[in-house]
Amino acid sequence: MQHFCEHLYDRFCQDSSMSAADTASIIERVQKIKNCTPAPPARPPSPLPVQDIFMSSQPALPPQAIFVEELAAALEPHLLSRAQLWELGYPVEIEPNSTKAVMYVNAPPPRPTVFTCWNLNAPEFVPGSQTDSGVSLSNSTLRSDSEQVTDEVERLCVRCNNVFHMTRNGKYLTQSFCSYHWGRVVDGHYACCNKGFGSKGCAFSFYHVWSGTKPGINGPLEGYVRPHSPRGGVYAIDTEMCYTTAGLELASVAVIDVNGHVVYQTHVRPSAPILCYNTRFSGIRPRVLDRATKTLQDVQYDLLEFVGTDTILVGHALENDLKVLKLLHTAVVDTCAMYPHARGLPMRRSLRDLSKGLLGRNIQQSSAGHSALEDAQAVMDLILLKVKEEQMLRECQSTSNKLYSFEPYYPLVCAA
Ligand SMILES: [Zn+2]
Ligand SMILES: [Zn+2]
């Protein structure tokens, strides 16, 4: 067993495409499973990117075609089931071959504000839905969907957690400012200003903003598209969004292939008036987005040029990307499910933490906001790392079984 582990360690280290952090992490996990003795310290990191790890191990084969097929096969066990798609809040088709979607959204965790209860019976449907025609009906917002619906709707601000009211076509009826913290709560304090949990916000806006969805079932939703024919391929996809009167809308999208090459990248002009560019997180600058000419429909058309029914899309919390892309797709791998939080759902590990912990790479560090391209590359590398790790474990177990089958001959060898 000791010899086997040394051999395995040498193989890992000879795979010069892997970083020291990856190598050490994988060896540690393999040793844990096989009860091996500790391996020597990891060698210096390699200059090659993680996405080349398979390419370097198969130099004699046509790399791209074989690699994508192998990766697709390796990802098959990680494809989300229909139950997982629903549980994680992915948009799903109401009925086969339709382009109408429905999605389930978990209630947000409670926060210390004036607002204490989300009205699940409020007639809030995402703009564009069949019932969201903007037709004025009664004057109440607190009745069930089966009753008459008012043009005035109740929204929950995702920044300050206060309720506000607006019409279905986006006119604000609530005259109040939005005071909020943009930082996470760390040890009872907001990371943005270090004030205590529940304190008055350190940032200010003239408008409250909402996500575009409500807790519970959302739908029927229109404007969705889906692929119609197989095209193969594995792509990582990431989007950035901004707040409009219709909720979160697509502002930027990036798609990369298994080699980290950019397949598609564009800014997108939202359909509704923009309330907040969300620059701190999205990285979207007003001067850039104001020049964008692509619409959501243009992007949907472009994506369906290379995304087929069997194309595997990978992402982190990919349901949010598919929501704003209004794309119905079931062959998806989500790094949230691949690397689950220790406490389970609805807790999720952030992409930034996964990238730092598993890839040894800091992302989302820029004060200029996130980059869809940087996030997509991190997702693809995390996917490749998992597949590589599983491949090594299989080889490890296979070699171990072979060694075990030779065990009866050891006394003879020793005697000789
Ligand atoms: Zn703050
Ligand atoms: Zn607010």
Side-chain angles (χ1 to χ4, degrees):
M1 185 59 73
Q2 175 66 29
H3 170 75
F4 165 71
C5 290
E6 288 171 358
H7 168 69
L8 189 63
Y9 170 76
D10 287 339
R11 283 203 53 195
F12 289 165
C13 294
Q14 283 162 11
D15 187 350
S16 59
S17 63
M18 298 186 67
S19 70
D22 296 337
T23 308
S25 170
I26 293 169
I27 289 174
E28 188 183 340
R29 295 192 200 190
V30 172
Q31 283 170 343
K32 205 170 181 183
I33 292 171
K34 290 295 174 187
N35 292 323
C36 295
T37 54
R43 294 181 185 175
S46 151
L48 294 178
V50 173
Q51 57 261 33
D52 288 335
I53 54 179
F54 271 84
M55 308 293 285
S56 60
S57 64
Q58 299 176 0
L61 298 172
Q64 182 62 29
I66 299 297
F67 175 70
V68 172
E69 289 172 1
E70 281 190 4
L71 180 61
L75 288 177
E76 213 161 290
H78 295 286
L79 290 174
L80 296 183
S81 66
R82 287 196 174 273
Q84 285 178 304
L85 289 171
W86 180 254
E87 185 184 19
L88 292 172
Y90 278 79
V92 297
E93 276 183 309
I94 287 181
E95 57 188 22
N97 301 322
S98 76
T99 53
K100 290 178 183 173
V102 63
M103 72 180 78
Y104 179 77
V105 177
N106 282 309
R111 293 156 79 180
T113 62
V114 178
F115 179 79
T116 55
C117 179
W118 180 262
N119 175 24
L120 293 177
N121 293 321
E124 283 189 312
F125 282 89
V126 174
S129 71
Q130 277 191 322
T131 55
D132 194 24
S133 59
V135 177
S136 179
L137 298 172
S138 78
N139 59 359
S140 171
T141 61
L142 303 176
R143 56 190 60 187
S144 70
D145 295 343
S146 60
E147 299 179 72
Q148 284 189 308
V149 182
T150 180
D151 189 46
E152 178 182 337
V153 288
E154 191 177 81
R155 308 292 192 206
L156 177 67
C157 179
V158 294
R159 294 190 300 209
C160 68
N161 223 23
N162 279 313
V163 171
F164 65 101
H165 294 83
M166 63 192 314
T167 64
R168 290 187 181 280
N169 58 10
K171 183 181 178 186
Y172 276 74
L173 301 174
T174 299
Q175 301 295 321
S176 65
F177 301 125
C178 182
S179 172
Y180 63 99
H181 292 280
W182 54 265
R184 287 180 171 189
V185 177
V186 180
D187 298 330
H189 292 80
Y190 294 103
C192 45
C193 58
N194 209 29
K195 286 184 181 175
F197 187 55
S199 62
K200 188 180 176 184
C202 63
F204 168 86
S205 171
F206 287 104
Y207 298 101
H208 294 293
V209 291
W210 70 299
S211 65
T213 57
K214 65 181 179 66
I217 296 175
N218 289 253
L221 311 170
E222 290 188 337
Y224 277 70
V225 297
R226 64 179 179 83
H228 291 276
S229 55
R231 296 185 186 277
V234 179
Y235 300 105
I237 191 165
D238 192 77
T239 62
E240 300 300 340
M241 309 157 207
C242 63
Y243 288 109
T244 74
T245 55
L248 279 170
E249 282 201 68
L250 180 67
S252 164
V253 56
V255 183
I256 64 165
D257 65 13
V258 293
N259 297 313
H261 298 146
V262 179
V263 175
Y264 186 75
Q265 187 177 24
T266 187
H267 287 96
V268 189
R269 179 185 289 275
S271 62
I274 299 170
L275 297 173
C276 174
Y277 289 86
N278 209 20
T279 305
R280 182 176 283 113
F281 299 104
S282 69
I284 301 294
R285 301 269 171 197
R287 63 176 180 275
V288 174
L289 201 57
D290 292 346
R291 286 202 302 266
T293 56
K294 289 264 186 187
T295 64
L296 171 63
Q297 288 69 33
D298 294 332
V299 172
Q300 289 174 326
Y301 179 85
D302 294 343
L303 291 180
L304 293 184
E305 289 290 304
F306 60 91
V307 174
T309 49
D310 59 344
T311 303
I312 296 179
L313 294 180
V314 302
H316 187 79
L318 188 58
E319 79 278 7
N320 295 318
D321 305 294
L322 298 189
K323 269 182 213 170
V324 292
L325 288 167
K326 295 196 172 184
L327 177 61
L328 291 163
H329 196 60
T330 53
V332 298
V333 174
D334 197 320
T335 43
C336 283
M338 184 174 268
Y339 298 99
H341 194 281
R343 284 188 277 168
L345 290 172
M347 303 295 289
R348 301 180 185 204
R349 299 173 71 182
S350 71
L351 182 59
R352 183 175 58 179
D353 291 345
L354 286 173
S355 178
K356 187 175 182 181
L358 298 174
L359 302 175
R361 194 162 82 216
N362 288 317
I363 62 169
Q364 302 176 355
Q365 298 290 307
S366 170
S367 58
H370 299 185
S371 157
L373 186 58
E374 181 185 56
D375 289 356
Q377 285 168 337
V379 164
M380 185 59 86
D381 290 346
L382 285 167
I383 296 283
L384 292 172
L385 180 64
K386 171 65 79 174
V387 168
K388 182 71 173 176
E389 180 181 316
E390 289 176 344
Q391 185 191 47
M392 288 177 172
L393 283 173
R394 281 196 299 274
E395 288 176 4
C396 179
Q397 287 163 351
S398 169
T399 311
S400 175
N401 291 340
K402 286 176 187 172
L403 287 174
Y404 181 77
S405 69
F406 284 115
E407 215 165 11
Y409 296 96
Y410 282 174
L412 296 177
V413 173
C414 291

